[in-house]
Amino acid sequence: MSELFFDIPIEKYQTLSESERYVLKYIVKHINEIPSMSIVKLSEEANVSTATIVRLMKKIGYDGFTSFKYSIKDLTKTVNSENSIDMIEKKINTAIKKNEFEVLNTIKMLSLGNIEDAIQKIHHAEKIYVFARGFSEMIANEITIKLQLLGKNCEMHNDPNIIRVISKKLKDTEIAIFVSLSGETKELVDACLNLKMKSISTITLTAGVDSSLANLSEIVLLGYKGTQSFFPDYEVRSRLPLQVISRILLDAYVIRMF
């Protein structure tokens, strides 16, 4: 920023008195402090009169010290804003890469065989129950609505007690779909265990590779969950891997069956 003051035309600079040139050099040297200084403070710090400062301002093209100070403040904001934008863009790019990485790795982890098995189970089931808790409920609800639109008898449940009770009543002509990022939601694990004991088919969408649900479920569609979270203090991790899986599963179902 100090270079701006050396752009003063030589003819103007030559009109400055020795004390005015001294003030100008002082301002350049302390440019970051100037926006918060009053003319009286500058006068004291530079050990010159306020009149000298005012004369200097007029000679370099300003109405007074206040207008000069505002121009410096605006310039400082611009520079800081550009630096802030650069930092923000880097952080946003990190978020973009994180999501891209999760999507690509989830797709790589999907097994065509498992997708085909899941399609067949859904197609032949007389009724489908979709179980989920927390943020996974949004994906479970979408799965339910789309299957209903495709003519399937399907319902979704998110209440812990109802999930446990219903899991004990499923028939062998029905199936259950579990949606859980961690694969460790207790009521879902309990329900899956109930169904396994009755040899009822289950499909699980999860990012928990070695989770309880993954180990109990008949068909597991695994997604990739990154370790980085922008909400580390809360359990609100993105369900993007599960969204990718559910979309691929339902698109594949339509392709195969219609």
Side-chain angles (χ1 to χ4, degrees), residues 129-137 156-168 170 176-196 202 204 212-214 216 235 239:
Y129 292 86
V130 184
F131 300 133
R133 296 277 291 143
F135 280 86
S136 298
E137 291 172 25
M156 192 270 276
H157 293 282
N158 57 9
D159 182 272
N161 294 323
I162 292 176
I163 289 172
R164 288 189 177 98
V165 170
I166 289 179
S167 68
K168 296 177 182 178
L170 262 70
I177 297 176
F178 294 93
V179 185
S180 173
L181 187 67
S182 68
E184 295 295 346
T185 307
K186 191 175 188 313
E187 50 270 29
L188 300 185
V189 173
D190 291 345
C192 196
L193 180 58
N194 290 337
L195 294 167
K196 184 173 183 179
T202 54
T204 292
S212 299
L213 272 179
L216 289 169
E235 183 46 50
R239 267 56 179 177

Side-chain angles (χ1 to χ4, degrees), residues 105-119 219-223 245 248-249 252:
N105 278 281
T106 293
I107 292 172
K108 288 178 183 177
M109 291 174 68
L110 288 175
S111 162
L112 290 177
N114 279 353
I115 293 173
E116 178 63 26
D117 290 345
I119 289 171
I219 300 172
V220 182
L221 301 177
L222 285 171
I245 296 170
I248 291 174
L249 174 61

Side-chain angles (χ1 to χ4, degrees), residues 23 40 61 103-104 113 126 129 131 163 165 176 186 188 196 200 203 233-234 245:
V23 175
V40 174
V103 170
L104 292 177
E126 289 183 3
Y129 292 86
F131 300 133
I163 289 172
V165 170
K186 191 175 188 313
L188 300 185
K196 184 173 183 179
I200 304 292
I203 301 170
D233 297 331
Y234 306 94
I245 296 170

Side-chain angles (χ1 to χ4, degrees), residues 28-52:
V28 170
K29 186 175 181 181
H30 300 86
I31 193 64
N32 292 323
E33 303 165 28
I34 296 302
S36 60
M37 274 190 182
S38 67
I39 189 171
V40 174
K41 180 67 173 176
L42 176 58
S43 172
E44 292 174 352
E45 294 292 329
N47 197 27
V48 296
S49 68
T50 55
T52 299

Side-chain angles (χ1 to χ4, degrees), residues 63-226:
D63 294 334
F65 180 67
T66 300
S67 62
F68 169 77
K69 189 166 67 170
Y70 284 153
S71 70
I72 294 302
K73 191 175 290 186
D74 289 341
L75 185 57
T76 302
K77 283 181 181 177
T78 301
V79 172
N80 290 338
S81 176
E82 288 175 353
N83 291 337
S84 297
I85 289 171
D86 287 342
M87 288 302 297
I88 290 170
E89 286 180 348
K90 287 180 181 178
K91 290 180 180 179
I92 291 175
N93 189 53
T94 300
I96 292 171
K97 291 295 183 183
K98 171 183 177 290
N99 285 282
E100 178 186 33
F101 195 64
E102 286 191 351
V103 170
L104 292 177
N105 278 281
T106 293
I107 292 172
K108 288 178 183 177
M109 291 174 68
L110 288 175
S111 162
L112 290 177
N114 279 353
I115 293 173
E116 178 63 26
D117 290 345
I119 289 171
Q120 295 300 326
K121 289 289 183 181
I122 292 170
H123 178 64
H124 293 290
E126 289 183 3
K127 188 170 184 177
I128 303 160
Y129 292 86
V130 184
F131 300 133
R133 296 277 291 143
F135 280 86
S136 298
E137 291 172 25
M138 292 181 285
I139 299 170
N141 188 55
E142 182 181 350
I143 291 172
T144 303
I145 292 172
K146 287 183 175 180
L147 288 175
Q148 289 171 346
L149 292 173
L150 293 171
K152 297 300 297 184
N153 184 0
C154 183
E155 60 183 57
M156 192 270 276
H157 293 282
N158 57 9
D159 182 272
N161 294 323
I162 292 176
I163 289 172
R164 288 189 177 98
V165 170
I166 289 179
S167 68
K168 296 177 182 178
K169 298 181 178 180
L170 262 70
K171 305 171 185 176
D172 57 9
T173 55
E174 301 170 333
I175 66 168
I177 297 176
F178 294 93
V179 185
S180 173
L181 187 67
S182 68
E184 295 295 346
T185 307
K186 191 175 188 313
E187 50 270 29
L188 300 185
V189 173
D190 291 345
C192 196
L193 180 58
N194 290 337
L195 294 167
K196 184 173 183 179
M197 291 171 64
K198 295 173 61 179
S199 298
I200 304 292
S201 292
T202 54
I203 301 170
T204 292
L205 281 62
T206 185
V209 178
D210 195 31
S211 63
S212 299
L213 272 179
N215 290 325
L216 289 169
S217 189
E218 180 182 350
I219 300 172
V220 182
L221 301 177
L222 285 171
Y224 177 85
K225 177 181 70 174

